[in-house]
Amino acid sequence: MTRLASLATLALAMPLCGCVSVTTKITGSTRAGAEQLLLTGTADRAIAAIDFQPLAGRKVFLVTEKVSATDSEWLVFGLKRAMARQGLLLVDDKKEAEVVVEAAVGAYGTEDVDHRLSLPNSFSTGIIPIPMASTGTSALIRRSKQDSVVKLALFGYDAATRQLAWESDTVMEVGHLDRRFLGTRNITRRTSLPELETYPPRDLLR
């Protein structure tokens, strides 16, 4: 069936089964669990790409005022953990440092797109075993796609001379979570992060 014929068939079916709506969410201040995992997991991958080895063995103080993302505590923790793993000697007092490293986040967020084929309340699925929500207009078929992006960079300067001692490349990582639903049942899932293979649960209604 051609694309045009497919669209025509869908248009003819619309009065019977509902309508297609597209909702785009640019960003949100309150993060759901899946969004948190998607963002922090993408941040972990960005941090893992940074080579701190040129500063190994030196006393380093990390400046994080420009790390202002919602989940900044996890970002700071991840940076410090990566620095310690690569042999840097972290100090809590800037006066004790040989090198001062400044970190900044250029992007940290998500974009969501929902596609829904909805059924009106008066429509009955009959004997078809499709789990539907008990109230409101029910989505027969739904695709939920969420993308994440993290962009960050760091540089370090000698605490005594104030000269540039080291800098990272600007690192950008992206992630995705793409789910398809039949009624409330999650029938397919594709993601860039292993933890999102099992969370959120595939069945929304239990």
Side-chain angles (χ1 to χ4, degrees), residues 6-52:
S6 299
L7 291 174
T9 301
L10 178 61
L12 290 172
M14 294 303 288
L16 299 176
C17 64
C19 61
V20 174
S21 64
V22 179
T23 302
T24 302
K25 173 186 172 187
I26 301 302
T27 187
S29 57
T30 302
R31 305 197 192 281
E35 186 178 22
Q36 288 179 325
L37 288 175
L38 187 60
L39 272 170
T40 55
T42 304
D44 289 343
R45 291 168 57 182
I47 292 170
I50 300 171
D51 181 14
F52 293 104

Side-chain angles (χ1 to χ4, degrees), residues 1 29-30 36 64 70 82 86 94 109 139 147 166 186 188 194 198:
M1 182 179 291
S29 57
T30 302
Q36 288 179 325
T64 59
T70 300
Q86 296 187 42
K94 191 174 181 179
D147 297 308
W166 166 86
N186 181 193
T188 66
T198 56

Side-chain angles (χ1 to χ4, degrees), residues 5 13 26 49 74 84 106 111 119 141-142 151 168 185 191:
I26 301 302
W74 182 260
E111 292 186 8
L119 294 173
I141 300 171
R142 175 185 168 219
K151 176 183 176 182
S168 72
R185 187 176 301 280
T191 179

Side-chain angles (χ1 to χ4, degrees), residues 71-124:
D71 306 299
S72 58
E73 294 87 354
W74 182 260
L75 281 169
V76 172
F77 168 79
L79 287 169
K80 288 185 175 181
R81 179 173 59 179
M83 295 166 78
R85 284 176 172 175
Q86 296 187 42
L88 283 66
L89 307 177
L90 296 170
V91 296
D92 294 327
D93 191 338
K94 191 174 181 179
K95 295 178 181 179
E96 299 176 5
E98 297 175 275
V99 178
V100 177
V101 172
E102 295 199 13
V105 173
Y108 189 90
T110 61
E111 292 186 8
D112 300 351
V113 178
D114 269 0
H115 300 271
R116 298 170 185 261
L117 176 61
S118 299
L119 294 173
N121 291 335
S122 59
F123 187 90
S124 173

Side-chain angles (χ1 to χ4, degrees), residues 115-119 123 125 128-133 138-144 179-189 202-205:
H115 300 271
R116 298 170 185 261
L117 176 61
S118 299
L119 294 173
F123 187 90
T125 57
I128 301 175
I130 300 175
M132 306 297 288
S138 302
L140 175 63
I141 300 171
R142 175 185 168 219
R143 180 190 178 190
S144 173
R179 293 178 288 165
R180 287 173 172 81
F181 297 85
L182 181 62
T184 59
R185 187 176 301 280
N186 181 193
I187 55 175
T188 66
R189 180 179 302 187
R202 289 183 179 270
D203 291 339
L204 297 185
L205 297 182

